[in-house]
Amino acid sequence: MKKIIIANWKANPCLAKRAKKDLKIIEKGVKRIKHEVIICVPFVYLSIKTSLELGAQNCFWEQEGPYTGEVSPKMIKDLGCKYVIIGHSERRKYFGETDQIVNKKLKATLKAGLIPILCIGEKSGENARKVISEQLKKDLKGIIKKDLKKIIIAYEPVWAISTSGGGFCSPKKAKKMMDLIKKNTNNKIIYGGSVDSGDIHSYLNAGFDGALVGGASLDPREFLRVIKNA
Ligand code: PGA
């Protein structure tokens, strides 16, 4: 079955030359791949010419106006992009994004015709079921049914993200949260948290529709192995 494999490059690489080179390697490698592959790159790389599907990692909640330094969903859409990550735990942590902000961003993104990839997940020591239920309720508040189903939900236990501990969330444990999300929504659900070419299969086998891959997507050859093993 066709899966959604999303690379999250975060603020990497710091040179455009390298970004272009890595995209070329991935571009060559994904020919004849049945999965949907999306590379979420920093804004400045969104206009690189490639046949790959590029996505953004964030956006603002207004479409235009006096908001110095912000990039709007309409601008991203105008570049030909379809996808944008919203509410990643690093944005919640370093930029103070609350569920209310995430909710506004989701609405603006959907209004602009983009597909949001909503990240939810508990921090170390938190009650996962409680956090996920609350995030879903607040983040999706007031979004109409026809828009709601477009959202891809990424379950990312924060403590399992490679750069914030990289703890191991077993596919069995992740599945429990997937089931909880499924009870509340009808959306595609992907998994994120230190996924690499060695374990991608076990998360997909557990029933996830795909994966959000950070660290392992920074090496284009490893990312190609992730896709091949999916
Ligand atoms: P990771 O990152 O694969 O490096 O854990 C995933 C993410 O932060 O989206």
Side-chain angles (χ1 to χ4, degrees):
M1 218 177 85
K2 197 170 174 171
K3 301 287 182 181
I4 314 163
I5 312 296
I6 306 174
N8 178 10
W9 278 10
K10 311 191 178 185
N12 297 292
C14 63
L15 297 178
K17 203 169 148 190
R18 172 72 193 273
K20 285 178 194 163
K21 194 171 152 223
D22 288 356
L23 287 173
K24 273 217 174 89
I25 298 171
I26 300 170
E27 197 171 22
K28 267 195 193 153
V30 294
K31 294 207 173 110
R32 293 194 303 273
I33 293 279
K34 61 177 176 169
H35 303 301
E36 194 168 345
V37 176
I38 303 154
I39 321 285
C40 291
V41 299
F43 288 133
V44 289
Y45 301 146
L46 281 176
S47 48
I48 290 178
K49 295 270 165 293
T50 172
S51 62
L52 293 166
E53 183 76 55
L54 299 185
Q57 301 170 7
N58 173 41
C59 69
F60 192 49
W61 62 74
E62 295 288 350
Q63 306 297 353
E64 62 185 340
Y67 309 104
T68 305
E70 291 299 330
V71 174
S72 84
K74 251 191 175 171
M75 295 171 190
I76 296 167
K77 174 79 177 167
D78 188 49
L79 281 177
C81 294
K82 274 211 290 226
Y83 298 91
V84 56
I85 297 174
I86 299 289
H88 189 278
S89 58
E90 284 150 17
R91 299 228 40 102
R92 295 179 192 253
K93 178 178 174 189
Y94 299 115
F95 304 97
E97 283 195 13
T98 59
D99 289 311
Q100 285 71 26
I101 291 175
V102 170
N103 179 254
K104 284 210 269 186
K105 289 188 172 191
L106 283 175
K107 286 176 179 163
T109 303
L110 289 158
K111 195 171 177 198
L114 292 166
I115 298 174
I117 300 145
L118 166 66
C119 297
I120 56 170
E122 79 286 2
K123 295 202 253 326
S124 172
E126 285 183 335
N127 178 328
R129 303 188 81 84
K130 188 165 171 261
V131 170
I132 284 163
S133 306
E134 270 175 19
Q135 284 179 335
L136 284 175
K137 201 168 136 205
K138 292 179 181 165
D139 296 354
L140 302 175
K141 192 176 169 190
I143 297 176
I144 55 171
K145 233 182 177 175
K146 112 178 171 331
D147 278 347
L148 207 55
K149 61 177 189 227
K150 296 178 192 157
I151 302 172
I152 297 170
I153 297 178
Y155 170 56
E156 294 205 301
V158 180
W159 50 273
I161 291 178
S162 64
T163 45
S164 65
F168 177 61
C169 179
S170 68
K172 201 173 149 197
K173 196 166 181 174
K175 185 186 179 307
K176 280 193 188 151
M177 293 308 124
M178 180 184 75
D179 291 342
L180 174 69
I181 299 168
K182 272 195 179 153
K183 262 195 203 154
N184 291 282
T185 71
N186 230 338
N187 297 57
K188 290 225 160 76
I189 306 168
I190 63 175
Y191 176 77
S194 302
V195 172
D196 62 22
S197 59
D199 60 17
I200 175 92
H201 202 65
S202 55
Y203 292 101
L204 300 181
N205 268 352
F208 283 96
D209 297 303
L212 182 54
V213 187
S217 74
L218 296 181
D219 170 359
R221 290 176 185 87
E222 166 62 2
F223 185 58
L224 284 171
R225 283 194 290 274
V226 171
I227 300 165
K228 277 177 192 144
N229 291 348

